[in-house]
Amino acid sequence: MALTEVSSNKSFGGFQKVFEHTSMQLGCKMKFGIYLPPKAEQQKCPILYWLSGLTCTEQNFVTKAGAQKLASEFGIIVVAPDTSPRGCAVPGEDENWDLGTGAGFYVDATQEPWSKHYRMYSYITAELPTVLQKSFPVLPDKQSIMGHSMGGHGALVCCLRNPGLYKSVSAFAPICNPVQCPWGHKAFQNYLGADQDAWKLYDATCLVLSYEGPPLDILVDQGSADSFLTAGQLLPENFTNACSKKQLPVVLRMQEGYDHSYFFIASFIEDHIKHHAKFLLA
């Protein structure tokens, strides 16, 4: 559980830091970014997780999203973990940009050679929160989650599979129905095997139909000029249709002209932090 501080930069009165630790779930060293607002120097604060997308590390959100100003104003700790284990010498993990390194898909792999190290679901929902609670002034009963693309998929899945664990959830251009898209087929076949019932445990559109937890107000932003939307990788309409059947409130905002990049995320991150603040500060 020992943490090593990798970097620290003062930002909007607080500190944007990066730490490294040895993960028992993943069997390797992992890094995460954490923004500690000024309020964290005097008291415990709510925590908001950000899950990044394919090819990303903890640095993408830390340096490009521009979340620190709002996190400082609201007194929210923001944590951005890496997207996969690294340096584990898993055969094939560096051969494809959408499988292996940088592409953990927030699942617990059950298939060799992935199953020993690729356990991002348990890392995000169990191990990392325990590490944070032991080392930082976080309120464990006040946490929310958001993410982008593969990380938007991860945020929705983590929330829907753990009713009550997160106060709120939001996503930018999430992979909403991976059992129906090429990215999901590739990742799930490799990580989870041929049994598609196992795939459905990591599919937000499937999970929402059986959700029985506390009420959720879900916010999703999607750029209309996103090439992955037109390629059939994201399928937000499948998710919103499932939410409608379940009568679970969801707001899908189609943002005209925006693509899949962090320019899109930076344009609307304020709305998302305000969305979470309503629930974290209540």
Side-chain angles (χ1 to χ4, degrees), residues 10-272:
K10 192 161 188 179
S11 178
F12 295 99
F15 285 91
Q16 176 63 63
K17 297 176 179 284
V18 174
F19 287 89
E20 183 178 72
H21 73 110
T22 298
S23 166
M24 302 303 294
Q25 283 287 345
L26 307 179
C28 66
K29 291 185 177 181
M30 289 291 287
K31 291 179 181 177
F32 62 87
I34 182 168
Y35 179 73
L36 298 167
K39 188 179 290 186
E41 296 180 6
Q42 286 85 37
Q43 63 187 72
K44 291 185 176 183
C45 297
I47 184 168
L48 176 57
Y49 292 92
W50 170 270
L51 305 186
S52 293
L54 287 163
T55 75
C56 291
T57 70
E58 80 288 342
Q59 285 297 314
N60 296 74
F61 182 78
V62 166
T63 59
K64 296 180 180 180
Q68 291 88 352
K69 183 176 186 293
L70 267 292
S72 174
E73 291 177 6
F74 284 113
I76 296 173
I77 293 172
V78 182
V79 174
D82 202 347
T83 52
S84 72
R86 293 180 188 268
C88 297
V90 176
E93 68 178 352
D94 294 320
E95 294 179 3
N96 298 275
W97 68 274
D98 54 358
L99 183 72
T101 302
F105 261 86
Y106 304 101
V107 305
D108 283 351
T110 58
Q111 304 299 301
E112 295 292 344
W114 310 101
S115 56
K116 182 178 179 181
H117 296 286
Y118 279 72
R119 298 181 51 80
M120 286 298 296
Y121 173 78
S122 288
Y123 176 73
I124 295 298
T125 59
E127 183 178 16
L128 183 57
T130 299
V131 170
L132 296 171
Q133 289 166 27
K134 290 185 176 182
S135 302
F136 301 100
V138 301
L139 292 167
D141 60 339
K142 291 280 189 175
Q143 59 180 12
S144 292
I145 192 165
M146 60 180 177
H148 170 232
S149 193
M150 177 186 73
H153 140 78
L156 292 171
V157 166
C158 289
C159 183
L160 292 168
R161 283 188 59 170
N162 296 277
L165 182 61
Y166 304 100
K167 297 295 183 183
S168 53
V169 62
S170 71
F172 291 81
I175 304 171
C176 289
N177 197 187
V179 302
Q180 298 291 341
C181 77
W183 275 341
H185 278 214
K186 182 175 183 177
F188 289 178
Q189 284 174 350
N190 280 274
Y191 294 144
L192 304 173
D195 181 7
Q196 295 200 11
D197 285 338
W199 299 10
K200 293 176 182 178
L201 296 175
Y202 297 100
D203 185 298
T205 298
C206 298
L207 289 169
V208 78
L209 293 173
S210 59
Y211 180 77
E212 298 295 343
L216 285 173
D217 287 312
I218 305 169
L219 173 62
V220 176
D221 271 321
Q222 174 62 60
S224 67
D226 188 331
S227 61
F228 298 119
L229 176 67
T230 56
Q233 294 282 21
L234 307 178
L235 305 174
E237 67 280 0
N238 292 9
F239 180 68
T240 56
N241 288 341
C243 288
S244 179
K245 290 179 182 178
K246 194 65 179 179
Q247 296 185 322
L248 194 65
V250 59
V251 174
L252 171 62
R253 307 192 307 185
M254 294 298 296
Q255 303 292 2
E256 185 65 30
Y258 285 89
D259 58 19
H260 202 72
S261 71
Y262 264 81
F263 294 106
F264 164 53
I265 294 165
S267 298
F268 300 103
I269 191 66
E270 180 175 345
D271 292 350
H272 284 247

